[in-house]
């Protein structure tokens, strides 16, 4: 399937030396937060395929959806600006401060539509699509997180990239670990791993839904990729680290993100990578990775997810630490 070439690939894999020593494991991080600036993070890998599909089929308008500070929405706005496509975003929730991704969405020329959290994003997108079609637009709907069969090719490609890097590094990763928030990234990696027939584990850490919900999402995407029976019992999703819920963080979680930043020079976001990486570290400490030696975590980006309220609390945590 054709893709655009916009992301800065291959993204590097870095060893986290201090955490590796502390945990007694070789902990590596694939820096998919290095894919670019306005299009940084995992979403651009999926959008390279979806927007290529849009262009190949002569769509002139894209509608997609997410939360008000959605990384996916911002990446979609950026790639639409590059490709001269009209972009409409249906963002659910309270707009809050005009900052972060919401600011970038409008700066990139997207038409932003904010709806209450109680409303259906899918219904709102369909209604918007009908209105634009009456204006003669040819409209492509891209689901939340660009998570469908076409989008998942981005992480089939990423899996093959990791296999190549394993050879270059002379290493075999026992598992690939990542945050899961809509299912497409996990589905692509899992599907490619099944095809490679390795003993590698693909482990997802949920950021907002119980594991069964995401398992159903992954199964639906994989079935759209290939109509054959898969051993879906090998899907591994941990939902123990959702915490307060999507886009929210406790002081304990914020302190963990600070500690990782100070130790490894890596900024985790509070919506996706922070929750997932804290889950990974906790599971390693609890002995649930004792059968593994080389562990890879994919940093899927999203540092813009720190709200003003979180930044204020982080400031308090930093001041308290400095005074101790």
């Amino acid at each position: 399937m054709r893709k655009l070439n916009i992301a800065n690939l291959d993204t590097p894999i870095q060893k986290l030396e201090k955490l590796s020593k502390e945990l007694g494991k070789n902990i590596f991080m694939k820096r998919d937060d290095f894919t670019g600036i306005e299009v940084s993070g995992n979403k651009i890998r999926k959008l390279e395929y979806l927007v290529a599909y849009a262009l190949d089929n002569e769509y002139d308008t894209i509608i997609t959806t997410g939360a008000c500070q959605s990384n996916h929405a911002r990446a979609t706005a950026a790639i639409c600006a590059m490709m001269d496509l009209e972009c409409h975003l249906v963002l659910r929730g309270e707009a809050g401060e005009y900052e972060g991704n919401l600011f970038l969405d409008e700066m990139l020329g997207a038409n932003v539509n904010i709806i209450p959290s109680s409303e259906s994003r899918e219904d709102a997108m369909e209604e918007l699509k009908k209105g634009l079609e009456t204006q003669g637009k040819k409209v492509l709907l891209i689901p939340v997180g660009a998570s469908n069969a076409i989008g998942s090719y981005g992480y089939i490609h990423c899996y093959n990239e990791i296999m190549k890097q394993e050879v270059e590094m002379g290493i075999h990763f026992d598992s690939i670990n990542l945050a899961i928030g809509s299912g497409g990234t996990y589905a692509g990696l899992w599907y490619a791993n099944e095809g490679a027939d390795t003993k590698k584990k693909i482990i997802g850490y949920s950021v907002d839904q119980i594991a069964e919900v995401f398992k159903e999402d992954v199964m639906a995407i994989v079935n759209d990729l290939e109509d054959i029976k898969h051993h879906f019992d090998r899907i591994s999703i941990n939902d123990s680290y959702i915490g307060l819920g999507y886009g929210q963080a406790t002081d304990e979680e914020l302190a963990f993100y600070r500690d990782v930043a100070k130790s490894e020079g890596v900024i985790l976001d509070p919506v996706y990578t922070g929750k997932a990486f804290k889950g990974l570290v906790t599971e390693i400490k609890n002995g649930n990775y004792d059968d593994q030696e080389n562990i890879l975590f994919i940093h899927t980006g999203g540092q813009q997810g720190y709200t003003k309220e979180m930044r204020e609390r982080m400031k308090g945590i930093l001041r308290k630490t400095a005074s101790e």
Side-chain angles (χ1 to χ4, degrees), residues 287-307:
N288 293 324
Y289 281 71
D290 283 356
D291 61 340
Q292 300 184 35
E293 188 64 26
N294 300 312
I295 299 164
L296 179 65
F297 180 84
I298 301 184
H299 191 318
T300 48
Q303 288 91 332
Q304 297 92 331
Y306 283 95
T307 64

Side-chain angles (χ1 to χ4, degrees), residues 176-196:
I176 299 175
N177 302 264
L178 64 147
I180 180 168
S182 56
T185 299
Y186 185 98
L189 291 166
W190 187 89
Y191 175 82
N193 189 55
E194 288 294 293

Side-chain angles (χ1 to χ4, degrees), residues 13-28:
I13 293 176
Q14 301 170 343
K15 187 175 183 182
L16 303 183
E17 296 287 355
K18 294 174 186 174
L19 265 174
S20 294
K21 184 176 180 180
E22 176 188 339
L23 298 172
K25 302 288 182 182
N26 297 316
I27 312 297
F28 295 84

Side-chain angles (χ1 to χ4, degrees), residues 277-293:
F277 195 69
K278 188 174 191 299
L280 172 62
V281 170
T282 303
E283 292 292 305
I284 292 171
K285 289 180 177 179
N286 289 342
N288 293 324
Y289 281 71
D290 283 356
D291 61 340
Q292 300 184 35
E293 188 64 26

Side-chain angles (χ1 to χ4, degrees), residues 34 39 41 59 64-66 85 92 94 112-113 119 131 138 164 175 181 187 206 211 226 228 233 271 278-279 293 315:
F34 285 5
V39 293
Y59 289 94
T64 196
T65 187
L85 292 167
R92 191 168 67 179
E94 298 296 326
V112 176
N113 306 270
E119 291 188 13
K138 186 174 182 182
K164 182 180 73 171
S175 65
S206 170
E226 189 174 10
I228 63 172
D233 59 318
V271 182
K278 188 174 191 299
E293 188 64 26
K315 188 186 297 183

Side-chain angles (χ1 to χ4, degrees), residues 250-282:
T250 65
D251 283 355
E252 179 190 1
E253 288 168 343
L254 291 174
F256 173 80
Y257 309 154
R258 173 212 58 194
D259 291 345
V260 172
K262 289 175 65 177
S263 172
E264 300 288 352
V266 173
I267 306 297
L268 299 167
D269 81 281
V271 182
Y272 295 99
T273 59
K275 289 179 186 290
F277 195 69
K278 188 174 191 299
L280 172 62
V281 170
T282 303

Side-chain angles (χ1 to χ4, degrees), residues 107-121:
M107 188 172 182
L108 290 161
N111 299 280
V112 176
N113 306 270
I114 296 177
I115 63 172
S117 298
S118 58
E119 291 188 13
S120 165
R121 292 181 293 207

Side-chain angles (χ1 to χ4, degrees), residues 180 203-212 214 236-245 250 252-253 274-276 278-280 282-283 286 288:
I180 180 168
I203 303 172
Y205 285 85
S206 170
V207 302
D208 64 348
Q209 299 280 354
I210 62 171
E212 195 58 36
F214 282 130
S236 177
I237 298 172
N238 187 322
D239 57 9
S240 299
Y241 300 93
I242 296 170
L244 297 176
T250 65
E252 179 190 1
E253 288 168 343
K275 289 179 186 290
K278 188 174 191 299
L280 172 62
T282 303
E283 292 292 305
N286 289 342
N288 293 324

